[in-house]
Amino acid sequence: MNEIISEIENMTASFLKDARSQLDKGNKAAGLRARRASLNLEPLLKRFRKASLEASNSK
């Protein structure tokens, strides 16, 4: 589960950087990268949810 959390942290940092760049500077390419990162975050968050449920059920 630590691996999943690390991936989520990295992807979120990348998303926030690009989203801020689009918002503050009007960088259209950064907006595209942010939208792509948001799509890539969804499966990671689903994997985390599944792993979290398994961890709490095993205790």
Side-chain angles (χ1 to χ4, degrees):
M1 193 150 85
N2 286 331
E3 178 185 321
I4 296 170
I5 292 172
S6 177
E7 287 181 52
I8 291 171
E9 286 176 337
N10 292 336
M11 188 68 66
T12 302
S14 174
F15 164 77
L16 290 173
K17 177 184 161 226
D18 289 330
R20 283 281 170 212
S21 184
Q22 179 190 17
L23 181 65
D24 296 341
K25 300 175 186 172
N27 186 335
K28 291 181 182 180
L32 176 63
R33 288 190 303 270
R35 289 189 298 275
R36 192 173 297 141
S38 71
L39 291 174
N40 292 337
L41 268 170
E42 185 179 7
L44 284 174
L45 293 170
K46 286 182 179 183
R47 280 179 40 207
F48 169 76
R49 182 175 186 274
K50 183 178 178 181
S52 176
L53 286 171
E54 289 173 359
S56 46
N57 287 338
S58 68
K59 289 186 178 183

